[in-house]
Amino acid sequence: MTGGAARRIWGLAYRHLALFRRSWPRLLELMYWPTLEMLVWGFVSSYLAGVHAAGDAGGAGAVVAGLLLGGALLWEVTLRSQMGFTLSFMEEIWSRNLGHIFVSPLRPRELLAGLMALSVARTLVGVLPAVGLAWWLYGYGLFAAGPVVVAFWAALMVMGWAVALGVTALILRHGAGAEALAWSVVFGLTPFCAVFYPVATLPEWLRPVAWALPAAHVFEGLRAASGEGARIAWEHLAAAFALDLAWLAAMAWVFLWQFRRARVRGALLTMGE
Amino acid sequence: MDGPALLVEHLTKRYEGATAPAVDGLSFAMPRGATWGLLGGNGAGKTTTIAMLLGILVPSAGRVRALGHDMAGEERFAALARMNFSSPYVALPQRLSVIENLRVYAHLYTVPRAERRIAELADQLQLGDLLHRPAGALSAGQKTRVALAKALINRPELLLLDEPTASLDPDTGDWVRGWLERYRAESGAAILLASHNMGEVERLCGHVLMLKQGRIVDQGSPAALLSRYGRDDLEEVFLDIARDRRRARAAAE
């Protein structure tokens, strides 16, 4: 990356950081949903751990409870990563600023890099406080399973970017009218990502769908890394990253295709009006 | 550098599903250092033309070379770094302060010594007291000055302005026009101006392209156009063209 590219990416990031700096409600909103999710799943986990405690010498109840809370926290990474990317793009549409952005020397790939950097920042600000609170309130350490959790986190974040690229392509195609997708698409994937249950729980015909998603491999890996006989499921980790790369490449192609189509239709200058 | 600021050849845009082209075979070469006007009624193709000149809209046919660079492909980014654009219909982020907005664009245009450049522009465009106010809290005249500062942040060699004085009171409009005259004289930049304000075009532009239904129906210096149509001001020339009055007059005679 050249110095010029880095500066342009920083320019895009600075625009959003300046916005957050002058608006604490926006900053609070980033943390609100992950923390709320963590609280709900934390109480569910506590309840399940308590129910199982009486006749559970091996502590299986605690493991299941931990998996639920860990699943909820890590799934938030995908959600916040996707929303962080897409909402940063939507922000430019809402402020009718896209026309200025697209006639500046900022290349589309630099725009994507800037949106990914913002997605990382928004995810960290949103999810890390919930991770800290989970440890404080429920004694649950997300990173207790070791550095592999950082790899899980990264794989889920990249999946969020792939989904965000697809959603942003749809927004380029259909305009701000498609903005509801920014909030809903990843939620629609939740049943197939095996966040709270193994892929084997799904009907057989649905399992190939789950295995095509990086998140299903991450959560299988998380389950393998917890409880008795815990191990690092390298095969799932490798599959998650391989699928991430494939989805990211495919969705980047779709985004660039729709970007070019938007240039043909004349949508870039008028989007948001 | 040699060559025109803008070289436009057979530029055509036909939107998907439209029965007629929005822009139909425009060709012109705008020299460096010149100020040209793009005149035409609503729907004449001015905004579509500007969008194609900026590379944000892909032409159906023809080509644009800005500052020697082809605007169709990746090469356009080299030109975009040396040109800029302002329009009252494209906003700056309203919640950012003026100085934050200018910093964003200083980064996007990789302006060297950005803070010094912002201070210069604040001084020249009388933005000193506004720098720390949110862009959304400014009056129309103040917003126009901020939009001009954004458009000049990279000292553009080619400036495209879409109705730069729309919705301004006569005093502020006059101030902006005076400022643009000085900027062109000092920088040697080429300026292409789309406007509905005939007085503005007459004052600023050395050459005018008259657009109608996406075509250049006439062009020349304001003086040449006035003489050709036998009129005292460009507004009458504009109405002659928009309403085909000259042809109607000839038919009546």
Side-chain angles (χ1 to χ4, degrees), chain A residues 4 7-8 10-11 14-15 21-22 26 95-97 100 103-107 261 263-266 273, chain B residues 13 15-16 55 57-58 72 76-77 80-81 89-91 95 100 103 105-111 150:
Chain A
R7 181 129 182 246
R8 287 188 289 273
W10 167 240
Y14 172 82
R15 173 247 193 280
R21 195 175 58 183
R22 64 176 57 251
R26 279 172 182 266
S95 60
R96 291 172 55 232
N97 187 42
H100 283 312
V103 301
S104 80
L106 185 80
R107 277 74 165 162
R261 292 286 306 136
R263 277 183 71 211
V264 170
R265 290 197 322 275
E273 284 181 5
Chain B
K13 182 66 191 181
Y15 288 108
E16 288 165 8
L57 179 64
V58 177
R76 73 181 184 278
F77 294 107
L80 288 173
Y89 308 112
V90 183
R95 291 190 183 88
E100 285 167 342
R103 279 183 189 140
Y105 285 95
H107 289 310
L108 291 181
Y109 283 88
T110 56
V111 174
K150 175 263 159 190

Side-chain angles (χ1 to χ4, degrees), chain B residues 12-24 43 48 60 213-215:
Chain B
T12 300
K13 182 66 191 181
R14 184 185 289 273
Y15 288 108
E16 288 165 8
T19 49
V23 169
D24 192 3
T48 297
S60 307
Q213 293 171 343
R215 293 190 186 140

Side-chain angles (χ1 to χ4, degrees), chain B:
Chain B
M1 197 182 283
D2 296 334
L6 271 173
L7 179 63
V8 176
E9 294 176 316
H10 313 296
L11 192 65
T12 300
K13 182 66 191 181
R14 184 185 289 273
Y15 288 108
E16 288 165 8
T19 49
V23 169
D24 192 3
L26 295 197
S27 293
F28 62 88
M30 179 178 152
R32 289 168 195 258
T35 302
W36 280 28
L38 206 51
L39 271 187
N42 295 325
K46 300 188 298 295
T47 302
T48 297
T49 302
I50 287 182
M52 287 191 284
L53 299 182
L54 287 161
I56 199 171
L57 179 64
V58 177
S60 307
R63 67 170 190 158
V64 174
R65 289 186 77 80
L67 302 169
H69 298 283
D70 189 340
M71 296 303 281
E74 283 285 299
E75 215 186 303
R76 73 181 184 278
F77 294 107
L80 288 173
R82 295 162 53 204
M83 52 198 282
N84 215 314
F85 160 72
S86 176
S87 165
Y89 308 112
V90 183
L92 293 170
Q94 304 287 290
R95 291 190 183 88
L96 296 194
S97 68
V98 170
I99 195 165
E100 285 167 342
N101 266 301
L102 294 178
R103 279 183 189 140
V104 168
Y105 285 95
H107 289 310
L108 291 181
Y109 283 88
T110 56
V111 174
R113 292 182 289 281
E115 292 299 316
R116 190 191 295 180
R117 178 62 182 151
I118 291 169
E120 267 173 29
L121 287 168
D123 183 45
Q124 292 167 9
L125 289 160
Q126 300 168 18
L127 298 174
D129 294 337
L130 309 177
L131 283 177
H132 297 282
R133 286 177 58 187
L138 305 179
S139 69
Q142 290 166 336
K143 279 182 182 167
T144 300
R145 273 159 36 211
V146 173
L148 265 182
K150 175 263 159 190
L152 299 170
I153 192 83
N154 59 330
R155 296 185 176 86
E157 295 164 55
L158 172 60
L159 188 56
L160 304 185
L161 301 174
D162 190 8
E163 299 187 40
T165 58
S167 76
L168 295 184
D169 66 64
D171 180 43
T172 313
D174 182 68
W175 186 90
V176 169
R177 286 186 278 277
W179 202 89
L180 284 173
E181 279 176 320
R182 281 195 302 280
Y183 176 74
R184 196 204 59 76
E186 287 164 11
S187 67
I191 301 176
L192 182 67
L193 184 81
S195 178
H196 285 131
N197 185 322
M198 304 303 142
E200 175 170 285
V201 171
E202 220 170 318
R203 172 173 165 184
L204 292 177
C205 301
H207 191 91
V208 181
L209 302 171
M210 305 293 291
L211 283 189
K212 187 178 179 185
Q213 293 171 343
R215 293 190 186 140
I216 296 176
V217 288
D218 211 338
Q219 63 178 303
S221 68
L225 287 168
L226 293 177
S227 152
R228 197 176 307 152
Y229 285 78
R231 296 293 187 179
D232 296 326
D233 58 61
L234 268 185
E235 188 150 341
E236 288 299 318
V237 175
F238 179 90
L239 290 173
D240 281 348
I241 290 172
R243 297 176 183 171
D244 272 337
R245 292 201 303 204
R246 200 158 65 153
R247 190 185 298 171
R249 215 164 44 223
E253 286 162 8

Side-chain angles (χ1 to χ4, degrees), chain A residues 99-126:
Chain A
H100 283 312
I101 296 277
F102 286 130
V103 301
S104 80
L106 185 80
R107 277 74 165 162
R109 61 177 177 275
E110 293 165 359
L111 171 75
L112 298 185
L115 293 173
M116 285 173 186
L118 285 163
S119 153
V120 171
R122 291 173 76 133
T123 305
L124 291 176
V125 171

Side-chain angles (χ1 to χ4, degrees), chain A residues 72-140:
Chain A
L73 283 169
L74 280 176
W75 188 232
E76 277 298 314
V77 171
T78 311
L79 288 170
R80 299 303 132 192
S81 163
Q82 183 260 313
M83 286 190 194
F85 184 116
T86 315
L87 295 182
S88 300
F89 184 78
M90 293 299 302
E91 193 79 52
E92 304 297 353
I93 294 179
W94 293 327
S95 60
R96 291 172 55 232
N97 187 42
L98 266 189
H100 283 312
I101 296 277
F102 286 130
V103 301
S104 80
L106 185 80
R107 277 74 165 162
R109 61 177 177 275
E110 293 165 359
L111 171 75
L112 298 185
L115 293 173
M116 285 173 186
L118 285 163
S119 153
V120 171
R122 291 173 76 133
T123 305
L124 291 176
V125 171
V127 181
L128 282 182
V131 171
L133 273 176
W135 178 78
W136 184 54
L137 292 175
Y138 307 112
Y140 177 75

